[in-house]
Amino acid sequence: MGKIVIRVPATSANLGPGFDSIGVALHLYLTVIVEEKTEEWRVNHALGPDVPNDKQNLIVQAALAVNPKLKPHQLTVMSDIPVARGLGSSSTAVIAGVKIANELGEMDLSLADQVTIAAKIEGHPDNVAPGLLGDVVVSDYDGESATTVKLGMPEGLKMLAFIKNESLLTSESRKVLSDELPRKQAVVGSSVANVMVAALATNNWELASHMMERDQFHEIARTKLVPELPMIRETAHKFGIYGTYLSGAGPTIGTFGTEPQLIVLRQKLSDMDVKGSLRIFDIDRQGATVNAE
């Protein structure tokens, strides 16, 4: 068997009111090259000392969770995705592991099977589903199986990501969330999410972008951890741009718009000296690939 090249896009999840259920794939990638068999798993990377280079690496752990009988191989890993910034870095590793298990184990898993397996490992589907399928995906995971619907973001849209300089672990960010919501607030959150999905499905971006800013499930609580969210949203509104939301658990903040709109917004935010990087990403429409399939 020759080298296997797996490419997995970054993802932005919790798309507005789509808490743990709606995410989008971005043109930013983890690439894993599966090379020769070895005595022990070896993972070559330049991602820093905190990322294991043996079988403790999350990619290998995910692959072995899918197929414990896999023989060790050497992996070379390259990633443009910042770690613990709300852009699905751990999810891309899980997806790569599922793909490795499927290829090396000749398991012939369907994409639906791969989403369910990855969601089971990750605990929720909102990153792994768009990572595997591409574009924007609405998904559900009931603990046994994942159900997905792939939609399409309007052509010409890109995302401006404000990526804070410091990381924010999902586990830490979840601690500020309440275990319960008042029924009235939950109904509002659910109805807003329903309208946003319907608007995306009918290509009504004006409506979808407004609904995206009305989350009731997590943004209110997490704003204390990412106080730049209302400031960026208000600045975007001054240019007529809607569709700003907290990406994943944060601290990245995403804003959708056309490239000319986002260039103007990026310049304005740069002039305001926000503490982080500002990058414009295309939307990945294809999802994870094996040997550029």
Side-chain angles (χ1 to χ4, degrees):
M1 182 182 292
K3 290 182 180 179
I4 301 169
V5 181
I6 297 165
R7 192 177 77 155
V8 187
T11 51
S12 177
N14 293 341
L15 210 61
F19 185 61
D20 276 1
S21 61
I22 306 178
V24 63
L26 302 173
H27 203 271
L28 185 70
Y29 298 95
L30 168 76
T31 301
V32 181
I33 303 171
V34 184
E35 300 179 289
E36 70 272 12
K37 287 183 180 179
T38 49
E39 289 296 318
E40 302 288 341
W41 288 95
R42 292 207 309 262
V43 184
N44 302 321
H45 64 78
L47 304 177
D50 293 336
V51 179
N53 56 13
D54 56 13
K55 68 179 181 180
Q56 299 304 316
N57 188 282
L58 181 55
I59 295 171
V60 179
Q61 291 285 297
L64 293 175
V66 180
N67 189 335
K69 297 181 180 180
L70 293 179
K71 301 297 183 185
H73 281 67
Q74 175 170 285
L75 309 178
T76 296
V77 177
M78 297 161 285
S79 180
D80 301 319
I81 306 168
V83 176
R85 296 295 201 281
L87 289 170
S89 58
S90 63
S91 299
T92 60
V94 169
I95 292 170
V98 173
K99 291 289 189 183
I100 288 170
N102 192 43
E103 293 298 315
L104 294 182
E106 298 180 346
M107 299 176 69
D108 199 27
L109 296 169
S110 68
L111 267 178
D113 289 337
Q114 292 175 44
V115 174
T116 290
I117 291 168
K120 190 170 294 186
I121 295 171
E122 185 80 348
H124 45 87
D126 53 338
N127 286 107
V128 296
L132 281 160
L133 302 176
D135 221 313
V136 60
V137 180
V138 184
S139 54
D140 167 69
Y141 176 62
D142 62 6
E144 294 296 328
S145 62
T147 305
T148 62
V149 176
K150 178 177 177 177
L151 300 175
M153 293 294 278
E155 292 296 328
L157 277 189
K158 298 178 186 285
M159 189 185 92
L160 173 64
F162 164 66
I163 306 171
K164 289 188 74 168
N165 292 330
E166 66 264 23
S167 62
L168 179 60
L169 296 176
T170 301
S171 57
E172 293 299 313
S173 183
R174 281 190 181 270
K175 290 179 180 178
V176 304
L177 301 181
S178 173
D179 290 334
E180 297 179 353
L181 284 181
R183 180 185 299 177
K184 184 176 181 180
Q185 185 180 356
V187 169
V188 171
S190 177
S191 61
V192 167
N194 293 341
V195 173
M196 187 187 79
V197 170
L200 286 172
T202 55
N203 205 31
N204 186 341
W205 175 246
E206 182 179 0
L207 179 57
S209 63
H210 281 73
M211 293 296 104
M212 196 172 289
E213 298 190 351
R214 292 179 56 191
D215 168 70
Q216 298 293 313
F217 298 114
H218 77 118
E219 285 189 355
I220 296 170
R222 283 171 166 164
T223 296
K224 66 181 71 174
L225 301 177
V226 192
E228 296 87 351
L229 176 60
M231 179 272 293
I232 291 176
R233 183 171 282 160
E234 290 165 11
T235 304
H237 289 176
K238 293 176 181 178
F239 295 101
I241 305 168
Y242 289 80
T244 296
Y245 66 101
L246 188 62
S247 178
T252 291
I253 297 166
T255 302
F256 289 105
T258 64
E259 188 166 21
Q261 286 179 317
L262 297 182
I263 288 173
V264 170
L265 178 58
R266 181 176 61 183
Q267 184 59 55
K268 179 63 176 178
L269 293 173
S270 296
D271 293 343
M272 295 168 68
D273 196 29
V274 292
K275 305 302 181 185
S277 62
L278 292 159
R279 300 176 64 184
I280 296 174
F281 298 123
D282 287 315
I283 295 167
D284 176 281
R285 306 284 181 173
Q286 188 174 9
T289 61
V290 178
N291 292 343
E293 63 192 3

